[in-house]
Amino acid sequence: TGTYTPITGTNASISSDDAISAAIPIGFTFSYGDNSYTEVKISTNGWVGLGTTQTGYNYFNQLNSTTYQPIVAPLWDDLSMASGTVSYLTSGTAPNRVFTIEYANAKWNYSGPVGFNFQVQLYENGKISFIYGTSGGTPNNPSASIGINMSPGGSGWYYSVDPTSGTASTTTETSTINAFPAEGTVYEFNPVVAQPNDLAATGISGNTTPSVGISATYTVTVRNRGSNPQTTYQVKL
């Protein structure tokens, strides 16, 4: 449990039904699974795509999808923001910044009552939080999923929350949620550090056809997934 605190942020400009935002900067690099992301795209249907690959607003909740991933979904269903606002805000200072996305006065479903309020928070340390505020009455024909998924998608690559039992499954999606979580409910997903030393080069860019005897500059992305700080290492091409 926690406290739902409304934000004063930037309007994502998707106050309509069935829309997806343009790419929005997180404000820091968010590490998730084997990848890192600096932007998101927000759907009016209660989910947020990490990165910029998603192009559709998809109202069919599919946490077990191999196509709609990676996604964080606080309330994935056929919602509408035609009477509400989606906004976002990056707060705090490095390395403890938080990126918050707020759905204010959502309709559930698109023809249902207005007034459902919830947030997604992405933490610089990798934590994900869903926070639920006030609700607007009995939703109309609800059938939602709550959870997260990551690349490559499918069984074992998602967490689907079952609010009734208070558990999350990686193999069975609960896709028929019909009650809004109680105000002050928080679902947290915390990354696990498997071992102290886990350093990897995760990306490289530069001239793919360098010439002998001429200097070429390359940019290598290095990620520390372990618990120990790393200060001395070599990158070899």
Side-chain angles (χ1 to χ4, degrees), residues 30 32 72 120-122 126-130 148 187-189:
F30 181 72
Y32 184 65
V72 297
V120 177
Q121 291 186 331
L122 305 181
K127 183 174 77 171
I128 300 167
S129 290
F130 300 158
I148 63 176
Y187 294 122
E188 274 188 3
F189 305 87

Side-chain angles (χ1 to χ4, degrees), residues 89-127:
L89 175 69
T90 302
S91 57
T93 57
N96 300 304
R97 288 168 289 189
V98 182
F99 180 67
T100 301
I101 299 164
E102 179 178 278
Y103 291 77
N105 289 316
K107 285 186 175 184
W108 186 20
N109 62 18
Y110 70 93
S111 60
V114 71
F116 293 89
N117 300 281
F118 52 96
Q119 296 175 341
V120 177
Q121 291 186 331
L122 305 181
Y123 287 73
E124 197 165 3
N125 66 5
K127 183 174 77 171

Side-chain angles (χ1 to χ4, degrees), residues 64 154-160 168-174:
N64 58 4
S155 182
W157 292 94
Y158 66 86
Y159 283 96
S160 179
S169 175
T170 63
T171 56
T172 302
E173 180 177 1
T174 300

